[in-house]
Amino acid sequence: MVEFLQGVVPIRYVLPSYIHRLKQPTIVPYSTKSSEQIISSDTHSNTANFKFTYSVEIIPICKDDLVLIPPKQAKSLSNISPLTICSRVGNSIHLIDPSTLQYCDITSNIYWRTPFNSLATVTDLVEFTVLDIEPDHRRSKGKFVMADAQVAQAGAFRSSLGTADDDHMMDYDAQSSSTNQIYHTRTHLGSILQPGDTVMGYHLTNANFNSSDFALLEPGRIPDIILVKKAYPNRRKKSKARAWRLRSISKEVGEEGETGNARGVVGRLGGRDQKKVDEDYELFLRDIEEDPDLRAGVNLYKVK
């Protein structure tokens, strides 16, 4: 059973074998602590009941997060640029510099020596439209190919009809100067992006991060935007239901507010924002559909 509390997810297991399966470092990096407490004992039968408590702290970095590695630690990791993208989470977190394709793997032991959090998460992603892209296939690592791209925020251009003497033209959407701007950037997505595609990225020009390490970065090393992943905005507009579903651990009411039997997260006041829960869950399902690597590690069950 699982009960959701403020910032904590206590899981109650009856058999110790389940605990050892949870502690296997095959899914995400983590730090663990354990303790035991004697509940009762019988001197006649020489038996005792113990309560074992395991604390498992998972690294708070997810796939596609914008990660700022502390400068000293970045130098020790082959002098990689501190501003990176988390491209994969497994036994370690895989970070890549999208402007150079340099990457590093941070294991649990390395991370907990100098812990750090994500600079921005997927909820901060902004939708862009690819105007032009020039991939350089000579610079590639695995599935990533370096490319120079021109992008603009989604909706920056609109198709307008002129007079009878004018042809169909593409004009700027006169909402704001920042929306109208065309951005030039380097990206690691040169193998999958084409002009006209929709791509999600972090808009660093308009961002305000509460990070002392970010404030110490040289302005010339901070790009205007960082592209993260290709998006498919029209894929889920159809009403066709998914042919698969996920299973989750059953939940019970916690002490910090009603959690019921529905999936979700705990809000800042201990309650639940069901709309936010549904939106996050839908985004998670879309990530499973679009990412073969993520889908390979998730059990999917056929809808009956």
Side-chain angles (χ1 to χ4, degrees):
M1 300 292 289
V2 176
E3 54 175 331
F4 285 84
L5 305 179
Q6 187 76 18
V8 182
V9 183
I11 305 177
R12 300 177 181 177
Y13 288 105
V14 178
L15 300 178
S17 59
Y18 293 140
I19 300 175
H20 294 298
R21 289 177 58 185
L22 176 67
K23 293 175 60 179
Q24 290 179 356
T26 57
I27 302 176
V28 292
Y30 63 86
S31 173
T32 180
K33 297 179 181 179
S34 61
S35 65
E36 62 180 62
Q37 177 184 4
I38 186 170
I39 303 300
S40 62
S41 61
D42 188 349
T43 56
H44 299 285
S45 59
N46 197 24
T47 59
N49 293 326
F50 287 87
K51 177 183 179 181
F52 295 90
T53 303
Y54 295 85
S55 173
V56 179
E57 185 175 0
I58 300 174
I59 291 181
I61 296 177
C62 300
K63 185 177 179 293
D64 298 330
D65 281 358
L66 179 63
V67 179
L68 179 61
I69 308 174
K72 292 183 179 179
Q73 189 170 353
K75 291 182 179 179
S76 65
L77 297 171
S78 303
N79 201 26
I80 189 174
S81 173
L83 210 54
T84 59
I85 294 293
C86 180
S87 61
R88 180 173 55 85
V89 177
N91 294 338
S92 60
I93 53 176
H94 185 91
L95 304 179
I96 184 171
D97 178 10
S99 61
T100 63
L101 296 185
Q102 185 179 359
Y103 67 90
C104 66
D105 286 318
I106 298 183
T107 62
S108 181
N109 294 332
I110 296 177
Y111 175 84
W112 292 113
R113 294 174 191 169
T114 310
F116 54 89
N117 295 324
S118 299
L119 191 63
T121 63
V122 292
T123 57
D124 302 313
L125 288 173
V126 179
E127 189 174 312
F128 294 92
T129 300
V130 179
L131 304 179
D132 189 20
I133 187 165
E134 297 180 1
D136 185 0
H137 294 281
R138 296 172 300 177
R139 302 181 61 185
S140 62
K141 285 188 178 180
K143 64 180 181 179
F144 300 122
V145 176
M146 180 63 66
D148 292 325
Q150 295 183 12
V151 300
Q153 279 191 253
F157 294 97
R158 58 183 174 85
S159 178
S160 62
L161 296 177
T163 61
D165 298 330
D166 296 333
D167 296 328
H168 295 268
M169 300 181 64
M170 296 296 292
D171 295 336
Y172 282 111
D173 187 1
Q175 293 182 358
S176 65
S177 58
S178 61
T179 303
N180 299 340
Q181 187 172 351
I182 296 178
Y183 298 96
H184 300 257
T185 185
R186 281 189 171 183
T187 178
H188 59 298
L189 304 175
S191 60
I192 60 175
L193 291 183
Q194 298 291 335
D197 287 347
T198 300
V199 62
M200 307 299 293
Y202 294 105
H203 202 322
L204 302 186
T205 303
N206 299 334
N208 185 13
F209 300 115
N210 185 18
S211 171
S212 58
D213 291 334
F214 184 79
L216 296 176
L217 291 179
E218 299 178 5
R221 301 186 62 180
I222 302 177
D224 293 328
I225 62 171
I226 294 181
L227 303 182
V228 178
K229 62 179 180 178
K230 184 176 179 179
Y232 305 88
N234 298 325
R235 174 171 292 186
R236 295 309 311 174
K237 287 187 177 180
K238 299 179 180 179
S239 59
K240 183 178 179 181
R242 294 183 175 91
W244 52 270
R245 63 183 179 88
L246 302 178
R247 290 180 181 177
S248 60
I249 304 175
S250 58
K251 308 171 184 67
E252 63 182 11
V253 176
E255 299 176 359
E256 295 291 334
E258 193 274 330
T259 59
N261 293 322
R263 61 177 182 270
V265 295
V266 178
R268 282 182 286 179
L269 300 179
R272 296 165 62 86
D273 185 350
Q274 188 61 39
K275 182 179 179 180
K276 182 66 167 59
V277 170
D278 294 337
E279 290 177 353
D280 290 345
Y281 190 70
E282 176 63 25
L283 291 176
F284 176 64
L285 295 180
R286 293 184 184 182
D287 287 340
I288 293 178
E289 290 177 328
E290 300 169 3
D291 190 342
D293 295 333
L294 177 62
R295 189 164 58 247
V298 178
N299 293 329
L300 305 180
Y301 299 90
K302 185 177 180 180
V303 176
K304 298 180 179 179

